[in-house]
Amino acid sequence: MSDPSQPVTRKTQQRDAIRKAFVDASRPLGPQEVLDLALESVPGLGIATVYRTLKKFLRDGVLQIVELPGAPNRYELTGLDHHHHFCCRACDRVFDVDGCPEQVADLAPAGFELEAHEVVLYGVCSSCTANG
Amino acid sequence: MSDPSQPVTRKTQQRDAIRKAFVDASRPLGPQEVLDLALESVPGLGIATVYRTLKKFLRDGVLQIVELPGAPNRYELTGLDHHHHFCCRACDRVFDVDGCPEQVADLAPAGFELEAHEVVLYGVCSSCTANG
DNA sequence: TGAATAATGAGAAGTCAATATCATTTGTGA
DNA sequence: TCACAAATGATATTGACTTCTCATTATTCA
């Protein structure tokens, strides 16, 4: 479990706050969003620590990257069921979407080896629809 | 047809070569790919001209942007039928994929307004499969 | 509690795609 | 052919996101 090439991990307020941000949000978060949310728990938290922690959580398998077209990377907790994402064009937040169109696997041209796929929905989320 | 806010458009070797690159390739191209392909027609072509021309072609409706997760923008000719894209992880080229999973429209959560969607396939293209 | 050292915060520095600058070249209509 | 202005090529610059540096702080365990 311990990797001798990595220093011993300590438990810190900052890391707890960052982990908590993901658990509470239940949606993919970008670095700035993580900072904004975690600042509520740890005033003074810096963006550098957010980036460092995201990187560490990736290494540790706590988080995984969510890449979206034309947008900076988001991060989400690992271990979720296969799902896709909805980007709200009004608030720029990203939400999880359950399910997956089965025919996706049939789209690949003949002779192409399909290894993975992404489905990204765009529109307006329910809270923006209500408030907008 | 002519926009008085824009200078008179001239016909140049460079623009012809860039347009030709898209027609010949029949797939989305990134700026560097465009440069590489168009250099065969116009030695000395610069990357700045490629960017300028892509922007102009976007304004003119000749090209449209293809945004892909975690990758720089590609561009493709407008007027194609609705389609999606396949990214080859070996050669990093992007190919068009005909068709669309119909159930995509059903994925959006209740209360969310779906306006558009993207489907991106990842894998190995046929030529890389053959040569790899 | 105290030494060792991991972690942090602030700001500098790096990356990389995309844009701006400017002297030179080239296309176009007269 | 000429004169004007659009277009180009080389390069500097921007802008955003991310990483690095280093002095300081905080955690851990003997």
Side-chain angles (χ1 to χ4, degrees):
Chain A
M1 207 57 167
S2 69
D3 178 351
S5 75
Q6 292 294 326
V8 174
T9 291
R10 293 177 178 176
K11 174 178 170 62
T12 68
Q13 288 187 317
Q14 288 84 349
R15 287 178 182 160
D16 284 348
I18 290 171
R19 189 181 293 103
K20 181 176 187 302
F22 282 99
V23 173
D24 290 354
S26 299
R27 60 184 184 82
L29 300 175
Q32 189 60 50
E33 283 180 301
V34 173
L35 178 61
D36 294 342
L37 291 170
L39 273 173
E40 296 172 14
S41 308
V42 181
L45 177 65
I47 189 69
T49 296
V50 171
Y51 276 104
R52 268 188 299 245
T53 304
L54 291 177
K55 210 171 175 184
K56 175 178 172 53
F57 283 176
L58 283 177
R59 275 201 308 273
D60 293 351
V62 175
L63 292 178
Q64 60 192 13
I65 294 183
V66 177
E67 293 185 328
L68 298 167
N73 286 346
R74 315 294 166 104
Y75 302 81
E76 67 182 1
L77 294 170
T78 54
L80 304 174
D81 289 339
H82 179 74
H83 64 282
H84 294 296
H85 297 105
F86 184 104
C87 302
C88 177
R89 284 171 166 166
C91 64
D92 209 41
R93 289 185 297 177
V94 177
F95 300 88
D96 286 349
V97 164
D98 292 327
C100 178
E102 297 154 17
Q103 307 121 311
V104 163
D106 304 325
L107 293 181
F112 283 48
E113 291 179 5
L114 181 61
E115 297 176 348
H117 68 272
E118 284 298 334
V119 176
V120 184
L121 308 182
Y122 296 92
V124 183
C125 74
S126 55
S127 62
C128 285
T129 300
N131 303 329
Chain B
M1 207 57 165
S2 69
D3 178 351
S5 75
Q6 292 295 328
V8 174
T9 292
R10 293 177 178 175
K11 175 179 171 60
T12 68
Q13 287 187 316
Q14 288 84 348
R15 287 178 182 160
D16 284 348
I18 289 170
R19 189 181 293 103
K20 181 176 186 307
F22 282 99
V23 173
D24 290 353
S26 299
R27 60 185 184 82
L29 300 175
Q32 190 59 51
E33 285 180 300
V34 173
L35 178 61
D36 294 342
L37 291 170
L39 273 173
E40 296 172 14
S41 309
V42 181
L45 178 65
I47 189 69
T49 296
V50 171
Y51 275 105
R52 268 187 300 244
T53 304
L54 291 176
K55 208 171 176 185
K56 175 178 172 51
F57 283 175
L58 284 177
R59 275 200 309 271
D60 294 350
V62 175
L63 292 179
Q64 60 191 12
I65 294 183
V66 177
E67 293 184 330
L68 298 167
N73 286 346
R74 315 293 166 103
Y75 301 82
E76 67 183 0
L77 294 170
T78 53
L80 303 174
D81 289 339
H82 178 73
H83 64 283
H84 294 296
H85 297 104
F86 183 105
C87 302
C88 176
R89 285 170 165 167
C91 65
D92 209 41
R93 289 185 298 177
V94 178
F95 301 88
D96 286 350
V97 164
D98 292 326
C100 179
E102 297 154 17
Q103 306 120 312
V104 163
D106 304 326
L107 293 181
F112 282 49
E113 291 180 4
L114 180 62
E115 296 177 348
H117 68 271
E118 284 300 333
V119 176
V120 184
L121 307 182
Y122 296 93
V124 183
C125 75
S126 55
S127 62
C128 285
T129 300
N131 303 329

